[in-house]
Amino acid sequence: MTILKNFFVEFPERLIYDPEARIARFIDWAGDTFAFLWGAIRQFLLRFADITHAFLDFVPWSVFVVVLFIAGWRLTSWKMGLLLAVLTFAIGMFGYWDNMLLSLTIILAGVIISVILGLPLGIIMSKSEKLEAVMRVVLDTMQTLPAYAYLIPALMFFGFGRAAGLVAVIIFALPPLIRLTYLGITNISDEMIEAGLSFGSSPMQMLFKIELPQALKSIAAGINQTTMMAVSMIVLAAMIGAEGAGRQGVALILYRAVVGQRAAEAVVAGFVLVFMAIILDRLIQGFTERFDKGGE
Amino acid sequence: MAKAVDIKNISVVFGTSKQKQAAKELLDSDLTAAEIREKTGATVAVRNLDFSIKEGELFVIVGLSGSGKSSFIRTLNLLNKPIRGQIFVGDEELTAFDAKKLRQYRQNDVSMVFQNFALLTHRSVIGNVEYPLEVQGVGEKKRRETAMEAIKLVGLDGWEEHMTFQLSGGMKQRVGLARALTNDPELLLMDEPYSALDPLIRRDMQDQLLKLEDEMDRTILFITHDMNEAFRLGDRIALMKDAEIVQIGTPDEFFDKPANDYVKNFIADVDKTRILKVRSIMEKPTYVAKKGDGVKETLQKVKENDMGFCYVTDEKRKFLGYVRLEQLQRSKGKTIDRLINEDDTVIYRNAYLREAWSKLSEAEYDLPVVDGKGRLRGILNYDVVVDALAAQ
């Protein structure tokens, strides 16, 4: 009796299975075995971030402001253009221009790579039921995991720094784009698909002349969500050095200010980050509405 | 150009492959479609259809929703794959096509008009109409030209640059029709094309279709749930119920010999004289001479067929007039050209019987029936018309 009681009430010690050692071994194994792969990915990501940063840094601030004004004006209204220009100018006035570029680099690079990966994945997912079933589980898991969880695999294989930060951003920001690409393609009406097939379209013609154009609205919404996810991930990613070793982007400043309880600094950095989010959101919204007008 | 379609024992079943296999075994049994569904879980949408559509015919399938007519029309471009049976379009067996041949067939020989238009909303009117040519790889200039012709044909010129959401329902379906005509198909499939339109516009569209059909040379399969529409349009009609054909025949035959009470009920509300068209009761002329034919051989043919006179057309079948037997016997000329009696008492083949009646009652002989281009398409016999009208 007491044996049973001991066994079923308190968790028996001899059943405790210590996974840590095994996981550590697995990580070591994966890290060593695919070292060349992680290395290559790391190099690629660093190069990509470098080029993106070099480009952003090359553009004078004044051009930035003017371009955003024109974009806002063309896409929505002159008021929008003015808002975007003022927000951009404010970031400069706060003394955050260079720090902003460091954060923007990771966001932009993350979004671009997400699109390069997410579009094909969404398309393949819409074509294969088996892959769809697998991806659904993976995507659901990815979207329920806390954002911190993404830092771990990134750190495991890429170490501290920009590559790991980018990986974390990409893993976090990718799911909505895949999902919305998939939804956009599978939600096209049966009749429209039948129309395409009935005129003898090849699978490629179906994809490029019917499915993708029809899914464009949904894909644009996906890119918007992906961008917002990237913006929200940048602070966490900064913790693992996303903005570059020894460099301080807005996100890292914010993080450190919060941790060090420097309220004023945190508020300013927070505003800069919010401004960035507003600018990106408005720009992409503007593009999306353009599609709406042309597409409905 | 137009091709005949032979449907041989075609069945379409929906369900998982296991269910389908089980249902396939039962297709020839006495079980109804509903019973097969209960037993196997599979839906029998089309069951053992076996009939032919003649070349150049406007064939209508009518039936309530769920009768299987839309599932059937989709077998003719293999959007639905029949579980068994064969379909021949012209001499070619459609059901044996591989992917490449099927694509070619869909690109060149067949096209479809859809109930809800199925226009590509990301393209303009002309962008939609030229889509079939784009798929074929036709160059941009040629593509535009052909598409513009089709747009003019359906009366939408001036609208080509508009986006489709700017159009009314009737105009959208005109775009659908124009799109289906650009690849110059031999077989045109129309799946309840006018059901989504309001009645006035529907009538316009029907008239337009009859006018277009008159000038084209292609086989049309038209699906509808509206018996009036079926009778207005169809050369022959098939009535479908529960995945099977209940009756097949000309409109006249439906009125004459309805196969059962279901058919009787279905046609109860149809006013025959308003619906029956000349084309549905006209007959094929026994012999027609061509301009330039010799007197001797014409005389021989006329005698052979025991005729008192025969109609004469030019080489494009355009109706010219007639020659009488006595003329042929008396003539010393070589060809019949100078003997032709010009005659303008002709009946348009899409005229309703009511309109034809007055002309026919004045004439002493059978009247020639012509299409919109003046080509001789048949003859209208006085007795047949009396019979048809009296049968009501």
Side-chain angles (χ1 to χ4, degrees), chain A residues 241-263:
Chain A
E243 289 158 335
R247 289 195 267 192
Q248 283 214 19
V250 190
L252 192 59
I253 295 175
L254 177 63
Y255 174 70
R256 284 187 176 154
V258 171
V259 173
Q261 297 189 336
R262 294 188 295 276

Side-chain angles (χ1 to χ4, degrees), chain B residues 167-321:
Chain B
L167 307 182
S168 68
M171 291 164 90
K172 279 184 186 164
Q173 198 52 296
R174 278 166 209 255
V175 177
L177 181 59
R179 180 175 66 178
L181 293 178
T182 40
N183 65 341
D184 200 16
E186 285 147 352
L187 176 60
L188 180 60
L189 306 174
M190 305 184 79
D191 180 24
E192 299 213 33
Y194 306 146
S195 298
L197 306 177
D198 59 59
L200 265 174
I201 293 174
R202 199 182 309 166
R203 187 127 189 148
D204 271 357
M205 299 290 286
Q206 291 165 356
D207 289 339
Q208 184 186 38
L209 179 68
L210 283 174
K211 195 169 149 283
L212 285 176
E213 191 270 341
D214 209 41
E215 289 156 11
M216 310 184 290
D217 185 22
R218 55 179 54 105
T219 310
I220 301 178
L221 179 60
F222 191 102
I223 303 281
T224 179
H225 61 249
D226 173 2
M227 206 61 188
N228 275 296
E229 186 167 70
F231 279 85
R232 248 171 83 75
L233 296 175
D235 288 324
R236 280 195 305 152
I237 296 161
L239 176 60
M240 271 185 90
K241 179 179 182 259
D242 299 337
E244 292 174 83
I245 286 184
V246 184
Q247 184 168 1
I248 192 165
T250 63
D252 200 33
E253 285 165 1
F254 267 79
F255 288 112
D256 257 11
K257 302 183 219 84
N260 55 29
D261 286 345
Y262 185 77
V263 180
K264 261 188 214 157
N265 262 328
F266 219 95
I267 60 177
D269 296 332
V270 178
D271 176 359
K272 196 170 155 188
T273 54
R274 281 171 188 280
I275 296 293
L276 273 192
K277 283 195 298 291
V278 168
R279 61 191 290 173
S280 69
I281 60 165
M282 70 185 187
E283 295 166 329
K284 266 213 143 65
T286 0
Y287 176 73
V288 178
K290 283 215 164 58
K291 192 179 175 189
D293 282 357
V295 171
K296 253 192 182 162
E297 68 224 47
T298 309
L299 182 60
Q300 198 192 343
K301 286 277 186 196
V302 169
K303 274 184 172 166
E304 258 174 36
N305 289 306
D306 198 21
M307 296 154 70
F309 68 96
C310 89
Y311 292 129
V312 185
T313 66
D314 66 10
E315 58 284 1
K316 285 181 177 157
R317 289 203 293 156
K318 192 171 154 43
F319 179 71
L320 296 175

